Amino acid sequence: MRHHAIDVFLRFSAEVTGFKIVELRGTGESGEYLGTLDRIVGPDVVDELLSAYAELQPREEAEREQLLRRQIFGNEKLGPIARNIIKLWYVGIWYQLPRNWRERWGVREADVTFTVSPNAYTEGLLWPAIGANPAGARAPGYGSWALPPEIPQV
Amino acid sequence: MAATDIQTIDCLKDYLYRAMQLEHATIPAYLSAMYSIHPQTNSDAYHILRVVVVEEMLHLTIAANLMNAVGGKPDLTRADFVPEFPTYLPDGEKDFQVSLQCFSPSALDTFLKIERPGLAPDANTRRIPRRSRGTAKLAACPEDEELEFYSIGDFYQEIERGFEHLYRVHGAALFSGDPKRQITSEYYYSGGGELRPVVCMESARAAIGLITGQGEGDGGGIYDAERELAHFYRFEQLKLGKYYEPGDVPHDPKGPPCQVDWTAVYPTYTNPRLEKFDASSELYEYARDFNRDYAEFLALVTEAFNGKPQLLLDAVPKMFRLRNGAMQLMRNPLPASKASADSAAAGQPDGPANAAPTFEVAEFAR
Amino acid sequence: MRFPSQAAKKTQLEAACQHTYDVVIVGAGVAGAIIGNELSRAGKRVLMVEAGLGEDITVKGYEEYLQRFYATAVKDNQSPYPVNPNAPMPRGTTVRPVAPGQPETSGYIVQTGPFISDTTYTRVLGGTSMHWEAKTPRMLPEDFEMASRFGRAADWPISYDELEPFYRQAEREIGVSADVEDQRYLDLRFPDDYVFPMRGLPLSYLDRMVDKGIRGTEVEIDGERYPLKVRPYPQGRNGIPNSEYDGGKGYVPVGAVSTHQVEEGERCQGNNNCVPICPVQAKYHAGKTLAKALQTERLELLTQAVASKVHVDPETGRVSHIEVKYYEDPDEPHFVTGNIRGQLFVLSAGAIETARLLLASNLPSTSGLVGRNLMDHAYLLNWALLPEVAGTMRGTNATGGIVDLRGGSFRRSQAAFSVDIHNDGWGWAVGSPYTDLLNLVDDHNQFGAQLRRDLAQRISSQLLLAFMVEVLPNPSNRVTVDPAYTDALGNMRPVVSFSVPDYTMRGVAYARRFAQTVFQRLGARDYTFYDPTDYGYIHYEGDGYIIRGGNHLAGTHIMGTDKHTSVVNSDQRSWDHQNLYLVGGGSMPSIGTANVTLTLSALCFKTAQAMLEELR
Ligand SMILES: Cc1cc2nc3c(=O)[nH]c(=O)nc-3n(C[C@H](O)[C@H](O)[C@H](O)COP(=O)(O)OP(=O)(O)OC[C@H]3O[C@@H](n4cnc5c(N)ncnc54)[C@H](O)[C@@H]3O)c2cc1C
Ligand code: SF4
């Protein structure tokens, strides 16, 4: 397990998903997701992303958002991976990288669209974000659907 | 019929409060084990724990019905309602305490002890002197702190005797409670037995019979009166690796295999307390939020038990929320700094431990 | 509910071939299970032949379905169920548009068009009930009299009132949750003291918002006015038992079934996953009825056995035996053949498979109607965003809908419909919520807190109205077989040709206008878009629509009053083969606007009664 990497990965993930680190760890998937990234795009590219992020650390929030866009989301190599990280946390699915990314930085064999694990699906953060539960898991209980949704304010 | 210590209705109410405390006390322990199981693994164990928890809640509700029947006021928000873990239960041998811990062989052994069948051989031994002191206790004989019951079954037998006695004294007036306060299946439904209103002696007897039968089996058999496997034998299936089938005799199940994977469990800190968390951390906030949610849950249930049964329907989603909160905690490592001092202590998992709900509600008491 | 553990041991082919059973049933779906249960409880020896695997007989096996579902990235209707080339099933994701003159062969059903449907059914123990949604409305009294009232299709050989007691039996078996006050509309009649086994499930918050917006408003068709409101659907899933049921005896819900005792599924928990699989078995599935039948120890279950040919004695016209192909491994085309004998035979393989089996057996048919008059509801989807957050994505798939246009004089000229409010948002139409996430992240470039807010706003206010539009029987909509198309075991695959009748399309066109009206009243933003390249796209009177398959297959062996115009009588007995019963949706001569299962179950109770008479 890459201990330092996981810390930065969690900090990055918390910022781009809008969830707290406790909540990210609370999915039980943090190691799994970092492992998925390592396996698919390789630790070098992952580290490149994480160090790019680490460099942004001590800034004001407004400035950080702009920097995140310029240096990471708008980076031709790192952007698609950053977006995929958001999707991983939200629905547990690794989406195949865009064609132009694969053409430019090489096709990775494992880079196909798939659900990381059954648990990755049930622990997706999309559901709590919308005050619902993943279909078929983490049931909210009889009659709960009649009440107004509880969507956490962020 | 042996004599009873329950000579007054107030004394009966005290006993019934203890009964509610007792039914509740096992729930955090079962939940701690159940939620520590990795999702989608240990299906056999998860289902067994789930059934037992649901039935404990049913028992709690029945105890509240008994309390309401005699004009009492169920209160799950009293400062002493939730015990401090580890805690003793009134088992005569006093050989175990109930802990909040992850699903493990030692947790299973505790559960077997909690649900262990066994009525005391005769009236004189059904209460035995308390040996250990200084620990939290439950279901002690309310009017005599020095005595405790030999088993949960004995405790309920005493309650039943009390009911019989007071019924002889007061007749139908014993059941002075407002029947509208009774919780029925309409508001709390579980497969574990029908919830009928307690309004007379007969329904009181049936209610008590349901609680004791589900725990320990009916008259020494493995099934209760509703043909459901008693809790003890359900747990024993995990221990023996086989399911019981109708016709089986105790301790010798002959059904399909029942499997356990002890490794597919989050290793949580045993008997966690908020003081083990770093008070400035996010994790601490979440652990405290859980406790607040739990306190609110108990308050809501109390309201439901006091004339607003329909509120139990709202309690269900709250319950599921507690589950999510508990599981979140159990996947977060509990930073070593505070916890490490105890990590070598008995009962803690090997290696680093995860956080877990502490069930400390005192600070949120109304 | 417990399956006796010997049931898990399953009957072997060799053993089964040595008996002559009282009754042989092909297909362990809800239709077969009801008949099997009724007859075995009455003391008859029954063999149930099932093409699929029997995996779900334990809770663990059932949970494997669930795992498979969690683990796939494309969660379509069939995703929980194992791919089984020996008993294949249609799957929505494999459907493609058809090129003119060329059949669509990529899915299990060969489709010659012109309409290409994504309709499905499931071939596992329990059949399609494993993944049905479990809405259980009754048909309207007027649905049984389509010809005499509206000059359309044919009347049923039995009336609503004759079927009514069997509806009650079906509601008991399936365990229907509903409040009878809500269900008395459009002349739906119940005995005065009737209550459903369980109380109705509460309407979702979303339903209530829609109801608030439309209640008290009306629409006018054909000179008649129809007031609008949202009404709860009766549902085949566990709610709160009604203590007044059965003259005050109450009702005990049936939870999860397994070979060992589990308590789960006593009440729906709102997993919003009834289709394709209820994780806790709060939803009825045929395994619950099968478990009861197996407890009699007079019903034997032969799984992994595909009925391949029905043999008839040419002299008596009676079925002598059924040939089955028994396979060990779903991935190996190897099989052994056996002949199953009995006094009475029941085909309950679903409307398409039953017809396919009869046609593949090349049996004579006086009416020539086997496989013809295939029906399925036509679904038209309309989707919009409500002006405020409505908590979409919670509850059962659909708790309520607008059902007041299920009946009325307009049915002389255009199809009726019922409207489901989908608690799962735009999922069916455009793949929400996944597509919303991709759109916000990849196209709107959102992340962090803003992404969370946008997601909540966008998904939680989704409203999808699914119109289930009536389809009448038409002999040219049909199932056939063709030796050019076979499955791994060499059984001929079904070949379906289907066109959506104009009568239905008139209803569809009106449905679209109706949706627009509702959206206007709600102040909802209409996002409905019908892509002309979609396989379900249909052009009608200048406008285009996408029609989706309804999964309510019916009509391939319709019932009637004589052997020249129908395949079975009102007991679902074949006119041509005295000891053969063809049961299920296939017997229905029209389907109105009711999801078919409750009605086909009621018919099966009637059939079971007739069969018992016959065996006496
Ligand atoms: C997504 C979806 C949602 C639905 N929602 C609803 C709803 O809300 N309400 C409603 O009323 N209906 C609904 N339906 C329809 C409902 O599921 C069916 O009407 C019902 O399950 C049909 O039952 P059946 O027993 O007639 O056939 P099936 O359930 O199809 O059973 C047929 C059985 O026969 C077996 N079989 C097939 N061929 C052979 C063979 N050759 N040999 C041996 N065995 C064979 C199959 O494996 C299967 O077990 C829905 C269907 C789908 C797909
Ligand atoms: S909403 Fe959930 S629990 Fe209820 S029937 Fe559907 S899948 Fe089952």
Side-chain angles (χ1 to χ4, degrees):
Chain A
M1 174 77 67
R2 312 203 289 141
H3 279 295
H4 175 65
I6 216 153
D7 280 348
V8 185
F9 174 65
L10 281 171
R11 267 186 285 140
F12 171 71
S13 298
E15 184 153 8
V16 298
T17 58
F19 280 87
K20 299 237 163 62
I21 288 179
V22 178
E23 296 169 311
L24 298 180
R25 282 200 198 269
T27 65
E29 291 297 301
S30 20
E32 198 76 34
Y33 289 159
L34 184 59
T36 301
L37 282 162
D38 282 349
R39 192 165 61 78
I40 296 177
V41 297
D44 295 352
V45 182
V46 176
D47 287 343
E48 202 178 322
L49 173 82
L50 296 182
S51 17
Y53 175 70
E55 277 170 29
L56 311 181
Q57 285 294 323
R59 313 276 176 121
E60 287 297 308
E61 203 176 314
E63 195 188 349
R64 290 172 60 74
E65 170 167 352
Q66 204 178 38
L67 282 174
L68 269 172
R69 289 194 187 281
R70 290 165 65 105
Q71 318 271 331
I72 295 184
F73 286 107
N75 177 305
E76 289 156 289
K77 186 177 185 185
L78 303 179
I81 297 168
R83 282 186 281 278
N84 260 14
I85 291 174
I86 300 180
K87 296 171 208 165
L88 268 179
W89 285 111
Y90 269 87
V91 288
I93 297 177
W94 172 264
Y95 286 91
Q96 189 177 55
L97 287 162
R99 191 156 44 97
N100 53 19
W101 195 97
R102 287 182 289 142
E103 278 165 7
R104 182 135 168 224
W105 283 286
V107 174
R108 274 46 174 189
E109 208 183 316
D111 178 26
V112 293
T113 298
F114 69 102
T115 298
V116 171
S117 67
N119 193 54
Y121 166 67
T122 61
E123 296 298 327
L125 295 175
L126 173 66
W127 318 105
I130 63 171
N133 64 299
R138 297 162 69 94
Y142 181 83
S144 56
W145 54 84
L147 307 169
E150 287 183 24
I151 299 176
Q153 292 303 315
V154 281
Chain B
M1 174 75 57
T4 173
D5 295 318
I6 304 175
Q7 293 293 331
T8 66
I9 295 182
D10 279 341
C11 175
L12 178 63
K13 287 178 188 167
D14 282 345
Y15 266 81
L16 289 170
Y17 177 72
R18 293 294 173 132
M20 289 175 55
Q21 253 185 322
L22 168 67
E23 295 302 345
H24 166 268
T26 57
I27 293 175
Y30 289 140
L31 291 180
S32 297
M34 181 164 103
Y35 293 148
S36 73
I37 291 174
H38 288 180
Q40 289 113 46
T41 67
N42 272 319
S43 159
D44 294 323
Y46 187 89
H47 284 291
I48 288 172
L49 278 163
R50 192 188 155 278
V51 171
V52 172
V53 172
V54 168
E55 291 187 352
E56 296 302 345
M57 295 192 214
L58 177 77
H59 297 173
L60 174 62
T61 311
I62 293 174
N65 273 353
L66 289 164
M67 176 78 102
N68 270 320
V70 297
K73 288 199 168 56
D75 187 357
L76 289 64
T77 62
R78 262 165 64 172
D80 64 346
F81 186 74
V82 180
E84 238 172 61
F85 293 94
T87 181
Y88 279 111
L89 289 184
D91 175 274
E93 285 154 284
K94 266 288 179 256
D95 56 344
F96 73 99
Q97 285 187 301
V98 179
S99 284
L100 302 180
Q101 65 186 97
C102 60
F103 182 60
S104 62
S106 89
L108 179 59
D109 283 340
T110 309
F111 300 160
L112 282 164
K113 287 175 188 153
I114 296 175
E115 307 287 352
R116 172 168 57 193
L119 289 177
D122 62 69
N124 293 330
T125 49
R126 75 177 193 275
R127 291 190 309 175
I128 56 163
R130 228 156 68 81
R131 265 176 265 147
S132 43
R133 284 161 194 277
T135 26
K137 65 203 173 298
L138 281 161
C141 173
E143 84 282 25
D144 182 351
E145 292 286 325
E146 290 301 303
L147 291 172
E148 289 192 346
F149 287 89
Y150 179 81
S151 76
I152 297 177
D154 289 290
F155 176 69
Y156 277 105
Q157 211 175 65
E158 184 66 26
I159 291 181
E160 187 168 349
R161 283 197 192 96
F163 263 102
E164 301 283 4
H165 171 73
L166 293 168
Y167 183 61
R168 277 192 302 273
V169 175
H170 300 276
L174 172 62
F175 298 94
S176 63
D178 179 354
K180 285 211 247 350
R181 293 166 68 93
Q182 294 291 315
I183 309 288
T184 56
S185 291
E186 194 156 321
Y187 301 107
Y188 184 92
Y189 187 75
S190 85
E194 212 183 332
L195 204 47
R196 298 215 175 77
V198 178
V199 288
C200 59
M201 194 53 224
E202 202 183 325
S203 46
R205 274 186 212 116
I208 296 168
L210 187 74
I211 298 182
T212 46
Q214 280 186 337
E216 321 178 333
D218 205 32
I222 59 173
Y223 289 95
D224 66 15
E226 316 224 334
R227 300 183 21 103
E228 305 250 329
L229 202 54
H231 294 177
F232 176 82
Y233 299 102
R234 288 184 198 257
F235 284 130
E236 204 188 30
Q237 298 175 129
L238 292 171
K239 182 112 179 157
L240 302 178
K242 272 197 179 148
Y243 281 104
Y244 277 106
E245 289 187 314
D248 286 352
V249 295
H251 319 307
D252 188 15
K254 292 215 159 38
C258 173
Q259 287 147 1
V260 179
D261 176 359
W262 298 114
T263 63
V265 172
Y266 296 105
T268 61
Y269 192 86
T270 301
N271 296 317
R273 308 191 60 85
L274 270 183
E275 68 202 31
K276 302 282 178 211
F277 292 68
D278 170 2
S280 63
S281 65
E282 278 177 9
L283 193 57
Y284 177 88
E285 289 304 316
Y286 278 74
R288 214 169 146 252
D289 284 350
F290 179 92
N291 291 342
R292 179 188 300 111
D293 285 348
Y294 197 67
E296 282 172 9
F297 173 75
L298 293 177
L300 184 70
V301 172
T302 300
E303 239 186 298
F305 286 168
N306 282 278
K308 293 188 184 157
Q310 69 284 359
L311 287 180
L312 277 186
L313 298 179
D314 300 346
V316 172
K318 281 217 179 339
M319 204 48 234
F320 285 85
R321 238 217 350 249
L322 285 164
R323 171 201 59 195
N324 293 345
M327 291 178 72
Q328 205 165 50
L329 289 172
M330 289 176 171
R331 290 158 179 177
N332 270 277
L334 190 62
S337 53
K338 287 250 181 175
S340 58
D342 318 85
S343 63
Q348 296 299 344
D350 302 332
N354 284 4
T358 71
F359 291 93
E360 292 161 287
V361 294
E363 90 174 276
F364 304 104
R366 279 187 303 195
Chain C
M1 174 63 62
R2 191 205 307 257
F3 276 119
S5 63
Q6 64 271 21
K9 295 186 192 104
K10 292 182 205 163
T11 300
Q12 295 304 310
L13 178 68
E14 244 172 76
C17 290
Q18 267 151 29
H19 292 289
T20 299
Y21 293 91
D22 292 328
V23 182
V24 174
I25 301 175
V26 173
V30 52
I34 286 176
I35 293 185
N37 185 33
E38 292 302 300
L39 285 138
S40 57
R41 280 196 315 165
K44 305 301 169 198
R45 273 203 77 179
V46 180
L47 180 73
M48 178 79 86
V49 179
E50 169 52 47
L53 304 168
E55 276 187 28
D56 47 4
I57 203 154
T58 61
V59 153
K60 248 202 222 136
Y62 188 90
E63 284 173 352
E64 272 165 31
Y65 286 162
L66 205 58
Q67 299 279 323
R68 203 178 285 115
F69 166 75
Y70 289 161
T72 61
V74 182
K75 302 202 189 308
D76 68 303
N77 273 343
Q78 304 280 40
S79 55
Y81 307 101
V83 172
N84 181 351
N86 289 340
M89 39 195 161
R91 195 161 178 175
T93 50
T94 57
V95 177
R96 314 254 176 285
V98 65
Q102 250 184 341
E104 208 286 297
T105 61
S106 58
Y108 167 58
I109 302 182
V110 177
Q111 300 200 53
T112 60
F115 174 67
I116 298 295
S117 176
D118 56 357
T119 205
T120 57
Y121 52 86
T122 308
R123 290 170 90 189
V124 296
L125 191 67
T128 317
S129 68
M130 298 310 293
H131 100 222
W132 73 320
E133 191 194 319
K135 274 204 221 74
T136 53
R138 294 182 177 194
M139 285 178 62
L140 303 174
E142 67 182 49
D143 290 335
F144 293 80
E145 301 162 10
M146 289 299 289
S148 40
R149 292 237 208 160
F150 308 114
R152 293 279 168 183
D155 286 351
W156 280 51
I158 45 174
S159 67
Y160 175 86
D161 293 321
E162 279 167 288
L163 198 58
E164 203 282 330
F166 300 108
Y167 265 136
R168 276 180 272 143
Q169 273 181 284
E171 281 158 355
R172 174 192 287 268
E173 187 61 43
I174 290 175
V176 173
S177 294
D179 294 323
V180 74
E181 318 74 271
D182 294 329
Q183 304 305 328
R184 287 198 168 100
Y185 63 95
L186 292 172
D187 203 27
L188 276 171
R189 301 183 281 266
F190 303 85
D192 286 343
D193 59 349
Y194 186 63
V195 298
F196 286 89
M198 288 166 282
R199 293 192 186 278
L201 272 76
L203 285 177
S204 68
Y205 186 71
L206 173 66
D207 292 328
R208 290 163 208 253
M209 281 188 63
V210 175
D211 185 57
K212 205 169 66 189
I214 61 169
R215 192 183 276 263
T217 68
E218 297 181 329
V219 291
E220 191 187 309
I221 329 178
D222 215 18
E224 276 183 57
R225 302 185 146 273
Y226 297 83
L228 302 186
K229 66 180 274 200
V230 174
R231 206 181 274 277
Y233 275 114
Q235 315 240 17
R237 57 179 53 75
N238 290 335
I240 297 172
N242 192 331
S243 53
E244 287 162 41
Y245 184 69
D246 199 6
K249 291 205 200 80
Y251 179 83
V252 180
V254 181
V257 291
S258 185
T259 46
H260 58 83
Q261 190 169 347
V262 284
E263 279 80 22
E264 190 163 65
E266 297 85 14
R267 201 157 78 181
C268 165
Q269 306 179 346
N271 276 296
N272 201 334
N273 200 58
C274 323
V275 176
I277 184 165
C278 171
V280 297
Q281 306 189 38
K283 180 187 77 173
Y284 172 80
H285 61 78
K288 298 186 180 185
T289 300
L290 277 174
K292 289 191 236 170
L294 286 165
Q295 279 174 345
T296 66
E297 297 186 9
R298 283 185 292 272
L299 180 135
E300 291 169 39
L301 186 59
L302 178 66
T303 55
Q304 294 162 233
V306 185
S308 299
K309 194 159 192 237
V310 179
H311 289 268
V312 167
D313 179 333
E315 267 164 36
T316 60
R318 291 174 74 87
V319 174
S320 55
H321 62 278
I322 289 181
E323 194 177 310
V324 303
K325 292 179 177 169
Y326 177 84
Y327 60 89
E328 282 290 343
D329 180 346
D331 297 317
E332 290 292 330
H334 177 75
F335 64 88
V336 288
T337 305
N339 291 327
I340 309 285
R341 288 167 204 284
Q343 288 195 56
L344 301 183
F345 293 85
V346 177
L347 302 188
S348 50
I352 289 188
E353 288 300 321
T354 293
R356 186 204 66 76
L357 175 58
L358 286 169
L359 294 166
S361 307
N362 211 1
L363 299 183
S365 159
T366 310
S367 64
L369 290 179
V370 173
R372 290 187 183 271
N373 295 309
L374 175 67
M375 285 174 274
D376 185 10
H377 284 121
Y379 270 92
L380 180 79
L381 309 183
N382 294 270
W383 55 104
L385 284 187
L386 285 163
E388 39 180 326
V389 161
T392 315
M393 301 280 166
R394 301 176 313 140
T396 75
N397 286 170
T399 32
I402 306 169
V403 292
D404 298 283
L405 282 95
R406 289 185 58 196
S409 58
F410 63 85
R411 295 177 83 186
R412 286 180 195 287
S413 51
Q414 76 181 46
F417 53 70
S418 70
V419 190
D420 305 345
I421 297 169
H422 263 257
N423 287 330
D424 51 354
W426 295 359
W428 192 4
V430 300
S432 289
Y434 301 92
T435 44
D436 301 302
L437 175 70
L438 297 184
N439 181 242
L440 288 172
V441 173
D442 291 339
D443 307 331
H444 291 204
N445 294 314
Q446 292 304 336
F447 61 83
Q450 191 57 42
L451 172 65
R452 277 185 71 167
R453 283 192 288 268
D454 284 3
L455 276 168
Q457 187 62 38
R458 159 102 72 110
I459 299 169
S460 249
S461 57
Q462 290 182 353
L463 170 63
L464 181 120
L465 299 180
F467 287 71
M468 184 174 94
V469 187
E470 180 180 21
V471 170
L472 296 179
N474 178 345
S476 62
N477 285 341
R478 64 187 296 205
V479 181
T480 55
V481 288
D482 179 339
Y485 303 111
T486 54
D487 67 17
L489 293 187
N491 287 315
M492 284 189 271
R493 287 157 56 188
V495 179
V496 167
S497 36
F498 198 90
S499 72
V500 181
D502 275 2
Y503 177 79
T504 300
M505 288 312 296
R506 277 195 291 281
V508 165
Y510 177 71
R512 175 69 190 133
R513 289 201 299 279
F514 181 89
Q516 287 165 329
T517 306
V518 169
F519 291 160
Q520 280 148 3
R521 291 177 187 174
L522 294 170
R525 276 169 285 167
D526 193 351
Y527 281 83
T528 310
F529 168 67
Y530 302 127
D531 179 354
T533 64
D534 188 279
Y535 56 82
Y537 190 79
I538 297 185
H539 221 78
Y540 178 73
E541 293 194 337
D543 286 308
Y545 307 89
I546 290 176
I547 303 296
R548 290 279 172 251
N551 305 312
H552 298 151
L553 295 160
T556 56
H557 44 83
I558 56 169
M559 62 165 62
T561 45
D562 80 276
K563 65 196 279 183
H564 300 285
T565 55
S566 60
V567 182
V568 298
N569 69 8
S570 67
D571 288 328
Q572 305 192 84
R573 184 213 293 237
S574 156
W575 291 114
D576 289 324
H577 314 290
Q578 285 294 300
N579 64 339
L580 177 66
Y581 291 81
L582 310 174
V583 309
S587 300
M588 294 167 65
S590 65
I591 53 177
T593 50
N595 315 51
V596 292
T597 311
L598 185 79
T599 302
L600 74 84
S601 302
L603 288 172
C604 286
F605 278 103
K606 182 169 189 305
T607 296
Q609 202 178 59
M611 291 175 70
L612 281 174
E613 284 292 314
E614 165 126 9
L615 285 170
R616 197 156 284 150

